[in-house]
Amino acid sequence: MSSDTLTPSVSWAQRPKIVFVTINVSDVQNPDIKVEKNSLYFKGTAAADKKVYEVNMKLLKEIDPDQTKYQVRPRCIEFALEKAEDGPYWERLLEDKTKQHWLKVDFSKWKDEDDSDEEAGG
């Protein structure tokens, strides 16, 4: 990565079969997006400041690139990464245990593993 490339802020959440990833870059022009079974790559230029944003995330576990969907929106790029196998929630998004300053949990989309849609009766 060159020195004039910035890392965008990224937020994520998960459900039993899907990992949601949001890359926060406004008005991206010509995004370069690569989804592989164990990584997600993004590079794009923000229209407003003409700065280049790039991030390459090595994922903790495998996803299914063919089932993965994404949408380039005016303020961000939203991904729905299909987990390769059902199972327990991932303890983190990235393979690397180091805390990344640009990565945050998206609590608006988060649902705990033990959350159900019904309220427990007392």
Side-chain angles (χ1 to χ4, degrees):
M1 287 197 327
S2 62
S3 58
D4 55 354
T5 304
L6 302 170
T7 303
S9 89
V10 177
S11 53
W12 78 290
Q14 66 180 319
R15 299 286 167 81
K17 293 179 192 265
I18 294 174
V19 176
F20 296 108
V21 175
T22 304
I23 297 176
N24 299 297
V25 179
S26 295
D27 301 322
V28 176
Q29 297 170 323
N30 309 322
D32 179 9
I33 295 168
K34 292 186 188 78
V35 179
E36 292 171 11
K37 67 180 193 308
N38 61 353
S39 69
L40 174 60
Y41 172 81
F42 163 83
K43 184 175 184 178
T45 306
D49 56 13
K50 301 283 184 260
K51 292 192 171 127
V52 178
Y53 291 85
E54 183 177 29
V55 65
N56 193 5
M57 296 179 274
K58 201 119 175 68
L59 303 172
L60 177 65
K61 296 188 181 170
E62 288 190 4
I63 58 167
D64 182 344
D66 299 328
Q67 294 300 314
T68 291
K69 300 173 188 67
Y70 67 86
Q71 236 175 347
V72 179
R73 299 188 181 279
R75 302 180 89 47
C76 62
I77 298 93
E78 293 183 333
F79 294 85
L81 310 175
E82 188 94 20
K83 293 180 182 178
E85 47 188 65
D86 293 357
Y89 271 27
W90 299 3
E91 56 269 26
R92 60 184 182 277
L93 177 65
L94 304 177
E95 185 181 74
D96 186 3
K97 285 184 179 166
T98 315
K99 184 162 173 46
Q100 305 297 330
H101 66 89
W102 47 266
L103 182 64
K104 296 178 175 52
V105 170
D106 184 348
F107 288 105
S108 65
K109 287 188 180 146
W110 194 273
K111 223 183 173 79
D112 284 333
E113 233 171 327
D114 54 4
D115 278 0
S116 73
D117 293 330
E118 303 161 26
E119 287 296 312

